[in-house]
Amino acid sequence: MFEGFTATDVETSGARIHLRRGGHGPPLLLLHGNPLTHVMWHKIARWLPQDYTVVAADLRGYGDSSKPDGGADHAGYSFRAMARDQVEVMQTLGFDRFLVCGHDRGARVAHRMALDYPDLVRKVAFLDIVPTHHVLHHIRKEWAIDSYHWFFMAQPFDYPEQMLVAYGLERYIRRKLDKRGVGMSAFTPEALAEYIRCCTPGNIHAVCEDYRAAVSIDLVHDEADLRRKLDMPVLVLWGERSHVHRSFRPIEAWRERAHDVRGRMLPCGHYPAEQAPNETLAELQTFFAE
């Protein structure tokens, strides 16, 4: 799935990060969402290396990256901690400034990265999210139903962990990816097999810590930065059949948090890079090339 890429691990100050690297040109960091891994980029990764040095990384707790302890306040899985990992990865690889594209949880990591390291992030693209603070302060019934897992997985240890393991991890992955009105056809057998392989009890615990952090320490960080807006250019892409489109106005939401926002809706659900790869690739190439 990643012909021409090299797989490697990078030790950061808080985790061991697994990644694939390929191509030549300006560095571009790709960050996946839940319950995925860096493999989610495989349909567009073959084209991006023609113009960019692509780094597709697993977030801490996901894929083949390590799964450190989250701590009593879940700070080990805050978007700040995950952003620091990826900045250290890029610096270890020799990149002082870079482009970033994130999907779902990876996009939330990218948002925190752009806030904490504005001098390092040249441009940032967010796939199918609105800011975390906006989400949690504009909850509608339909979004709560679509995104029930935000609050289920944030329950105290080890209730959600045990429930999901008992349910069956492969069964969970298939159910999680089978979004309403979209289905599973966009996920190749090879990618789906990787998502299933990487869904382990350790990963499930890390994901729960991720969601626990989102409704606690991440909100503390966001509250401290509510008056700040991103100065770098921002691209927002979202799916016509995703829960984001059903419950939010993405461009308007992001204009509360950034000065230069552009983007559009794509003909897909929550997974643009796999459900609408050609359209996603075209938008990213245009945005990053400007």
Side-chain angles (χ1 to χ4, degrees):
M1 287 186 286
F2 285 83
E3 185 178 353
F5 281 70
T6 300
T8 190
D9 290 348
V10 173
E11 291 287 346
T12 73
S13 59
R16 185 190 74 256
I17 300 300
H18 180 72
L19 61 90
R20 291 183 188 270
R21 174 182 177 179
H24 303 279
L28 169 59
L29 175 63
L30 302 178
L31 299 175
H32 65 86
N34 171 58
L36 311 175
T37 73
H38 75 277
V39 168
M40 66 158 283
W41 304 106
H42 73 103
K43 291 186 179 180
I44 65 174
R46 74 178 81 179
W47 306 109
L48 288 170
Q50 297 176 11
D51 301 300
Y52 304 97
T53 300
V54 178
V55 177
D58 289 338
L59 300 172
R60 69 162 63 187
Y62 291 82
D64 289 313
S65 289
S66 66
K67 296 158 182 66
D69 184 75
D73 61 355
H74 318 297
Y77 286 89
S78 66
F79 297 129
R80 172 161 285 162
M82 290 194 272
R84 186 185 307 116
D85 285 339
Q86 302 300 331
V87 165
E88 291 180 13
V89 163
M90 296 302 278
Q91 291 177 332
T92 298
L93 296 177
F95 305 127
D96 293 326
R97 297 189 73 225
F98 46 90
L99 308 163
V100 185
C101 176
H103 167 254
D104 187 78
R105 309 309 282 183
R108 301 186 189 286
V109 172
H111 184 202
R112 175 45 57 188
M113 182 186 297
L115 286 167
D116 287 357
Y117 305 94
D119 294 336
L120 306 186
V121 178
R122 292 177 50 204
K123 294 182 179 181
V124 59
F126 302 122
L127 272 56
D128 213 61
I129 71 160
V130 295
T132 308
H133 187 276
H134 187 92
V135 167
L136 294 175
H137 287 79
H138 295 82
I139 295 176
R140 300 174 61 230
K141 181 182 73 172
E142 188 168 38
W143 182 85
I145 293 170
D146 284 336
S147 302
Y148 70 93
H149 61 284
W150 275 61
F151 308 107
F152 170 64
M153 300 186 91
Q155 294 303 306
F157 176 82
D158 63 349
Y159 171 60
E161 286 95 334
Q162 291 293 340
M163 290 286 284
L164 290 174
V165 170
Y167 183 76
L169 297 184
E170 178 174 346
R171 185 182 176 197
Y172 158 72
I173 283 288
R174 292 181 181 276
R175 183 67 176 267
K176 183 74 169 61
L177 295 176
D178 191 5
K179 299 295 186 184
R180 175 161 58 102
V182 184
M184 296 277 289
S185 62
F187 300 104
T188 66
E190 296 83 1
L192 183 58
E194 275 295 287
Y195 303 149
I196 292 169
R197 178 184 71 82
C198 292
C199 186
T200 63
N203 165 247
I204 289 295
H205 174 59
V207 173
C208 289
E209 287 293 279
D210 179 355
Y211 281 91
R212 288 168 184 140
V215 297
S216 58
I217 192 166
D218 284 321
L219 277 181
V220 174
H221 297 160
D222 285 347
E223 292 283 353
D225 286 324
L226 278 183
R227 294 180 180 273
R228 294 177 56 201
K229 283 191 171 186
L230 300 181
D231 289 322
M232 72 285 293
V234 168
L235 176 69
V236 181
L237 303 174
W238 69 97
E240 181 179 9
R241 290 173 287 164
S242 85
H243 59 288
V244 173
H245 178 60
R246 286 192 291 269
S247 295
F248 301 104
R249 296 180 178 177
I251 295 294
E252 289 84 346
W254 278 108
R255 283 180 176 157
E256 296 174 359
R257 306 306 308 275
H259 294 289
D260 180 358
V261 180
R262 77 286 303 268
R264 72 179 184 95
M265 184 170 65
L266 300 180
C268 62
H270 179 54
Y271 305 100
E274 292 180 280
Q275 294 168 340
N278 293 336
E279 294 87 346
T280 302
L281 176 64
E283 293 293 332
L284 293 178
Q285 287 177 320
T286 298
F287 173 64
F288 287 132
E290 291 175 351

